[in-house]
Amino acid sequence: MGNTRARYRRILRFAARYIAQTWWYELVLPRIGFGKVAARGRAARLTRIAERFHVLAVDLGGLMIKVGQYLSSRLDVLPPEITRELAGLQDEVPPVPFDAIRRLAEAELGVPLERAYAEFEPTPLAAASLGQAHRARLAPIDAADMGYDEAVVKVQRPGIEAIVDVDLAALRRVAGWLSRVRFVASHVDLPSLVEEFAATSLEEIDYLQEAGHAERFAASFAGDPRVAAPEVVWERTTRRVLTLADVTAIKVNDRDALLAAGIDPKDVAKQFATVMFDQLFRDGYFHADPHPGNIFVTPVALGSSASGATDAASPAYRLTFIDFGMMGEVPDGLRRGLQQLMLAVAARDGKRLVDSIRGVGILLPSADTAELERAMSELFARFGGMGLSELQQVDQRELRDFAIEFSEVMRALPFQLPQNFLLIIRSMSLTSGLCSSLDPQFNMWDAVEPYAAKLLSDERGNIVQAFGQQALSYAGTVARLPQRMDAIADRIEQGRLVASSPKIEQRMVRLERAAQRIVSAVLFVGLFVGGILLRREEPVWGVALIVASVIPLLHAVFAGLFGRRGPR
């Protein structure tokens, strides 16, 4: 109990320290005229925060490793100083001593390991934050039933359930702190995200759930020669022990081993992207943790499918997925919205993309998306079709200027993440990173376009109906046009026609607040310096002026942070 309390306090101390540090450098210093000073040291500060979280996560283990893994995949919203440092968390977990693993496994299985398995290797094959895997050979009776004897046994880390409870309690507390900050609360529902993360984490430490996920995933690709999954040995599986067929093969990001086997890494990148798109957009059930340690490339006889039948279209390998503790499910409505989003990306249509983003529930209905549509159109016009390697050739100043403008537009918009969207983002981020490691020239645009064409082809039967609906929509607009023109004319005659420019109004409000803070800052300096000078000769008046200077200081620092919101 004492260890769990110390763990809880340590996580909260870490979070409080760096929330306070960020508040000071990103909010306080810019408000009192030291924005340039804060900006100069930002990269070094972010790197130090990431390094210290890395040390904390490795030392504590548990969900802190999972949090770090998630943060390392958020290349879209986090600076490279953080994602680069946290990327190493995936394979850096120390193993649990074998005696502790033996005790837990025997307690779960109800028999000594020597009876449960013919062989059980004490040295782990892999150690993860929630459990570790050992190679084993099935007992003869189990081997006869399954048709093979080579297996991998996954055993939960002893005491992990209590650790997960403590980590989730700490994360909920930190989310509560951050949700009190107006900017954070208006843009994302952090408590809901933590609860979604909690549900996923609790499922991940229940190996019966993972075994069910493995069978469901295999059923999704039954008869598909591109994909394989390990078979579950149910006789040797419990909530804390999972026994699977050993499907170890070439690690998906081992380029040298792939080339030695006669497999083109570029082809693997394309195939992997297509398989992940199938899971997300076709099946609505997807592997949410597709990092390189969870995918193998299994060579097969050319033209031989998984069922043994000859098929000239079959690849010379299969993508074998393992570790089904973190799976995502996409409801039908969200999946259709994601399909429309993909079609908009393939068509480079900024307005359609914004409509799709709103349709999947990311943007709140009240969001004014005119600026976002313009930014998306500029994004497609300037950078559309470029892969990562091509983007590296673009003038960095141009990229930086666009990124600053785009981030300002996004910060001004209220958004929320629908259920399971966190896992979708993680899965697609890892997919993009893995494909780029296999093929430095990999272009996600090229991967999206054929899949979008396939979606269009699949929906071709609905084109006539959609065209008819569009025609009716246009007819309705034309029919309503005279009435709307009359209404506009009436407003002009009555002097009630108003042109609204939300962005100009926002900037005027910001300028007004900035001017008020400048006056407060000057008043603070005057009172404070005056108090210092008077303190020797008139101690009472000196102290009074110093104390009084606190009021304009607080206004200069906090004005606008907790005040009323500007127009949107």
Side-chain angles (χ1 to χ4, degrees):
M1 184 65 69
N3 288 338
T4 57
R5 281 200 297 266
R7 180 186 183 90
Y8 179 79
R9 287 195 297 267
R10 186 175 174 189
I11 295 171
L12 292 187
R13 280 199 304 270
F14 181 92
R17 175 181 179 182
Y18 290 108
I19 288 173
Q21 184 187 97
T22 302
W23 170 79
W24 175 256
Y25 281 103
E26 302 300 331
L27 290 177
V28 176
L29 290 185
R31 288 175 185 272
I32 58 177
F34 292 97
K36 291 183 179 179
V37 175
R40 277 200 299 268
R42 182 174 293 120
R45 278 198 312 276
L46 293 174
T47 300
R48 282 196 300 271
I49 292 173
E51 288 172 348
R52 287 166 185 170
F53 182 83
H54 191 147
V55 172
L56 176 77
V58 171
D59 188 27
L60 293 180
L63 287 188
M64 293 300 101
I65 294 286
K66 292 294 180 183
V67 172
Q69 288 175 341
Y70 169 68
L71 294 177
S72 72
S73 70
R74 291 307 303 268
L75 303 175
D76 53 336
V77 296
L78 291 176
E81 292 87 357
I82 290 180
T83 57
R84 193 166 47 237
E85 175 60 32
L86 296 182
L89 277 171
Q90 292 178 349
D91 296 313
E92 238 181 80
V93 185
V96 175
F98 181 64
D99 287 343
I101 291 294
R102 172 190 282 275
R103 286 194 298 272
L104 189 149
E106 291 181 344
E108 283 291 306
L109 297 172
V111 295
L113 280 185
E114 291 76 12
R115 286 184 56 192
Y117 303 96
E119 294 180 18
F120 196 101
E121 293 186 6
T123 303
L125 177 66
S129 55
L130 304 181
Q132 63 189 48
H134 294 256
R135 274 203 172 96
R137 288 192 178 276
L138 298 177
I141 188 171
D142 294 329
D145 289 340
M146 302 303 298
Y148 54 83
D149 66 349
E150 294 184 350
V152 170
V153 183
K154 190 172 177 181
V155 183
Q156 195 178 95
R157 295 177 79 92
I160 193 64
E161 291 176 326
I163 290 173
V164 166
D165 288 342
V166 170
D167 290 355
L168 289 177
L171 289 175
R172 289 183 178 108
R173 185 75 177 272
V174 173
W177 291 345
L178 291 173
S179 65
R180 294 193 182 112
V181 179
R182 191 182 66 183
F183 174 79
V184 176
S186 65
H187 283 73
V188 62
D189 186 353
L190 273 181
S192 294
L193 287 185
V194 170
E195 291 309 316
E196 185 175 341
F197 181 74
T200 302
S201 302
L202 293 173
E203 275 195 10
E204 199 168 353
I205 59 174
D206 184 348
Y207 288 166
L208 291 175
Q209 290 266 11
E210 180 173 347
H213 291 326
E215 289 203 333
R216 181 178 173 185
F217 182 88
S220 296
F221 288 96
D224 190 331
R226 302 171 303 164
V227 180
E231 191 174 359
V232 179
V233 183
W234 284 102
E235 290 77 7
R236 295 289 178 247
T237 295
T238 71
R239 202 164 67 85
R240 294 183 179 88
V241 175
L242 174 62
T243 305
L244 301 161
D246 187 355
V247 293
T248 307
I250 302 171
K251 199 172 181 180
V252 69
N253 64 343
D254 190 342
R255 290 174 54 85
D256 292 338
L258 291 173
L259 292 171
I263 298 172
D264 184 0
K266 294 182 179 180
D267 184 69
V268 173
K270 293 177 183 177
Q271 192 74 271
F272 177 65
T274 302
V275 167
M276 292 304 299
F277 288 154
D278 279 344
Q279 295 176 48
L280 189 60
F281 299 108
R282 182 194 71 189
D283 303 331
Y285 184 69
F286 62 96
H287 198 298
D289 195 22
H291 66 75
N294 286 340
I295 298 105
F296 295 113
V297 177
T298 307
V300 297
L302 188 61
S304 175
S305 69
S307 61
T310 300
D311 182 359
S314 298
Y317 59 88
R318 288 196 297 270
L319 294 169
T320 302
F321 287 75
I322 63 171
D323 193 350
F324 300 94
M326 190 183 297
M327 302 295 291
E329 195 161 0
V330 188
D332 290 341
L334 180 56
R335 185 163 75 249
R336 286 192 294 270
L338 291 174
Q339 289 175 350
Q340 293 305 313
L341 192 149
M342 173 177 277
L343 292 173
V345 170
R348 316 286 201 271
D349 187 335
K351 185 179 185 308
R352 185 176 180 182
L353 179 60
V354 172
D355 290 341
S356 301
I357 291 173
R358 191 194 293 274
V360 298
I362 298 176
L363 286 172
L364 295 177
S366 60
D368 181 0
T369 57
E371 286 296 321
L372 182 59
E373 288 178 13
R374 181 191 61 78
M376 288 295 188
S377 298
E378 287 185 11
L379 171 68
F380 286 137
R382 180 63 188 91
F383 307 113
M386 290 187 179
L388 290 177
S389 60
E390 293 172 295
L391 285 173
Q392 291 173 357
Q393 307 303 317
V394 176
D395 187 346
Q396 294 302 303
R397 288 173 298 181
E398 181 181 359
L399 278 175
R400 184 177 63 251
D401 292 344
F402 183 85
I404 291 172
E405 181 182 358
F406 188 78
S407 64
E408 288 179 352
V409 171
M410 290 302 296
R411 279 198 297 268
L413 293 172
F415 68 89
Q416 62 183 11
L417 294 176
Q419 187 178 13
N420 243 339
F421 215 83
L422 183 71
L423 297 180
I424 294 173
I425 294 171
R426 172 180 172 80
S427 181
M428 289 296 99
S429 297
L430 290 173
T431 298
S432 177
L434 178 53
C435 290
S436 296
S437 71
L438 287 168
D439 178 9
Q441 303 301 316
F442 179 80
N443 190 330
M444 191 58 101
W445 301 94
D446 293 339
V448 165
E449 285 179 337
Y451 202 86
K454 181 182 176 184
L455 286 177
L456 284 173
S457 176
D458 291 343
E459 296 181 353
R460 190 167 295 167
N462 298 325
I463 289 179
V464 173
Q465 181 182 356
F467 183 80
Q469 291 174 347
Q470 192 72 24
L472 287 174
S473 175
Y474 288 149
T477 301
V478 171
R480 291 190 300 270
L481 191 56
Q483 183 179 357
R484 296 180 70 180
M485 291 296 294
D486 287 343
I488 292 174
D490 290 342
R491 287 193 177 194
I492 293 175
E493 291 175 357
Q494 297 170 12
R496 293 190 296 110
L497 187 65
V498 178
S500 176
S501 177
K503 192 164 185 178
I504 292 176
E505 293 173 10
Q506 290 174 8
R507 289 181 176 175
M508 291 299 294
V509 170
R510 290 174 187 166
L511 285 173
E512 181 182 348
R513 290 179 179 171
Q516 293 172 352
R517 291 197 298 271
I518 290 172
V519 171
S520 295
V522 171
L523 185 58
F524 158 69
V525 172
L527 291 172
F528 186 77
V529 172
I532 293 294
L533 295 175
L534 282 175
R535 194 172 58 173
R536 289 186 179 179
E537 297 181 3
E538 300 286 344
V540 175
W541 282 106
V543 171
L545 287 178
I546 291 174
V547 171
S549 72
V550 172
I551 296 174
L553 172 64
L554 292 175
H555 180 266
V557 172
F558 294 107
L561 183 60
F562 300 108
R564 66 178 182 85
R565 297 184 185 182
R568 289 189 179 276

